[in-house]
Amino acid sequence: MALLIGLHGCGQRTGVDEVLHKYKSEISQIIRLPEVSASNVGFQRVSFPEKSQTKLTIPATEMNLRVFYRINSCPLAGIVAERNTALGKTHLPSQRFLYELRLLNTFDQCINQIEGQDTDTAARLLEWKAHKMSQFPLVWVNLVQQSGEIHAMLTRANGYFRMEDRDAYNDALTDIAYITSLRKLGANNTNSAERLEKRLQLLAKVRLPATLWRSYQLSIETLSAINSGLANTLASLDCSKQSVKADIARLSASYEHFYVNSLSPQLNEMQTIHERLDNHLSTWLEMPLNAAYSEVLQGKLNMAKTALQTAKNEHKMNWQALFAYCA
């Protein structure tokens, strides 16, 4: 009994690709449909620039370590020296981000120690800190554009959208919101390496944006093919024939079962989740991203905002026209 229940549960896992295929197959038994050119779109990478093309060069800040040594219990000298070690020179993007964050927080600590005592040194530290703060948006951009996990999240889909995976999608949205929040300095930026790395690993596992865009593209292509078939059928329909009436009845049943009851709820949920994703990724576009990177990201967001809804609206109107014609 347990095995049967388990097998039944597996059978109930229906992705949007499976529903689209069943819907199109059912309709194609009655009317001729064009081939769906994007049926293998999910196996192609989203065309973001390679990481090697988007790395920002951040000029080094010259800081005299002897200034830090004059401040009792100020750890800045050690932190600055760490950057010049072999390990420091090969930081991963996430490690470099956390290093810069730790450096900025330590500036505050050392400035507070000498406030009102050594105005010249305090002024020097404030000047260096201001320079590092001006570079912080570039450090965040390199975190986003150079992290292997984020690159995977944006370019390689993890299957197709499934209603059963909504909890994982919501978790991914939380992780993307966390990455987005890091672009601003503040109290929420007291982060540990373990916390940031864990978030990045989860994003690479779910790959929400690429999975949504893959599902969007297949949905748009499939609905457009059905729309074309419906429009061509309507142009040559003879509703007086009994066989045509039977076909219309079958089409109506297929539309109700596959589209209204199964596919439409999935498409609506996809759009709801993508609206939340768009809120975060649109914010990324406000940062100094690589121009080609921004162009691809903007294109994907625009596609998700308009193209699927247009295909859905056209789909509904085509069915209404067909049913009204043979009413």
Side-chain angles (χ1 to χ4, degrees):
M1 179 64 74
L3 177 60
L4 287 173
I5 293 173
L7 290 173
H8 178 73
C10 291
Q12 294 304 304
R13 284 182 58 81
T14 306
V16 70
D17 58 317
E18 295 166 300
V19 180
L20 284 164
H21 176 73
K22 291 175 183 177
Y23 183 39
K24 179 175 178 288
S25 296
E26 189 71 18
I27 300 300
S28 65
Q29 293 179 20
I30 305 171
I31 62 177
R32 181 183 295 274
L33 299 179
E35 288 299 317
V36 178
S37 60
S39 59
N40 66 341
V41 68
F43 301 99
Q44 303 168 4
R45 289 189 178 188
V46 178
S47 56
F48 276 88
E50 291 299 321
K51 292 187 292 179
S52 60
Q53 302 171 5
T54 61
K55 185 174 183 179
L56 298 180
T57 300
I58 303 175
T61 304
E62 296 294 331
M63 291 183 281
N64 190 337
L65 295 182
R66 287 177 295 180
V67 173
F68 306 134
Y69 291 135
R70 292 201 298 265
I71 307 172
N72 292 331
S73 302
C74 174
L76 273 171
I79 294 176
V80 172
E82 176 187 321
R83 183 75 179 90
N84 296 320
T85 64
L87 184 62
K89 291 177 180 179
T90 57
H91 272 159
L92 293 172
S94 55
Q95 295 170 335
R96 176 65 191 275
F97 177 84
L98 291 172
Y99 169 84
E100 293 291 330
L101 197 57
R102 181 159 57 99
L103 181 63
L104 284 168
N105 290 335
T106 307
F107 266 115
D108 289 335
Q109 174 188 334
C110 296
I111 291 169
N112 290 337
Q113 284 182 223
I114 60 174
E115 189 175 11
Q117 302 174 22
D118 187 341
T119 55
D120 289 342
T121 301
R124 182 72 60 84
L125 295 185
L126 285 169
E127 179 184 339
W128 286 335
K129 179 192 173 186
H131 183 67
K132 297 300 290 184
M133 287 182 66
S134 71
Q135 294 179 335
F136 190 74
L138 304 181
V139 178
W140 182 88
V141 166
N142 272 342
L143 168 67
V144 166
Q145 294 184 161
Q146 297 298 301
S147 293
E149 297 89 347
I150 292 180
H151 190 72
M153 171 190 89
L154 295 172
T155 61
R156 296 193 293 274
N158 185 12
Y160 286 93
F161 178 88
R162 292 181 181 273
M163 293 286 268
E164 298 91 339
D165 293 336
R166 280 176 295 180
D167 287 345
Y169 300 150
N170 285 325
D171 289 343
L173 286 168
T174 300
D175 294 333
I176 292 171
Y178 167 78
I179 297 298
T180 304
S181 72
L182 296 180
R183 76 195 190 283
K184 292 185 177 181
L185 288 165
N188 66 329
N189 280 330
T190 55
N191 295 284
S192 67
E194 181 181 1
R195 183 184 182 193
L196 179 55
E197 294 301 335
K198 182 178 179 181
R199 300 268 190 162
L200 289 172
Q201 289 166 12
L202 291 172
L203 288 175
K205 181 179 179 180
V206 178
R207 301 181 183 180
L208 177 61
T211 299
L212 281 175
W213 296 332
R214 177 191 195 184
S215 302
Y216 262 79
Q217 191 63 43
L218 185 62
S219 300
I220 292 163
E221 293 289 342
T222 303
L223 289 180
S224 296
I226 297 174
N227 290 341
S228 178
L230 289 171
N232 292 336
T233 297
L234 186 60
S236 59
L237 208 58
D238 184 356
C239 298
S240 64
K241 293 182 178 180
Q242 194 62 35
S243 60
V244 171
K245 292 180 181 179
D247 286 343
I248 296 297
R250 284 182 61 192
L251 288 170
S252 178
S254 297
Y255 173 69
E256 187 71 24
H257 177 71
F258 289 104
Y259 186 79
V260 176
N261 295 333
S262 185
L263 183 57
S264 185
Q266 290 213 50
L267 298 181
N268 291 341
E269 186 67 18
M270 276 171 50
Q271 289 176 292
T272 298
I273 291 176
H274 198 280
E275 284 175 8
R276 294 174 59 196
L277 175 67
D278 184 278
N279 289 336
H280 301 300
L281 298 189
S282 293
T283 302
W284 291 19
L285 291 168
E286 299 171 4
M287 302 299 286
L289 300 173
N290 170 273
Y293 191 100
S294 292
E295 184 178 356
V296 174
L297 181 56
Q298 184 70 72
K300 288 297 177 183
L301 296 181
N302 289 344
M303 178 271 293
K305 284 179 181 177
T306 60
L308 179 58
Q309 190 58 48
T310 298
K312 286 172 60 181
N313 292 341
E314 183 181 344
H315 197 61
K316 183 178 179 180
M317 288 188 293
N318 274 309
W319 279 113
Q320 288 175 339
L322 182 65
F323 296 146
Y325 190 77
C326 287

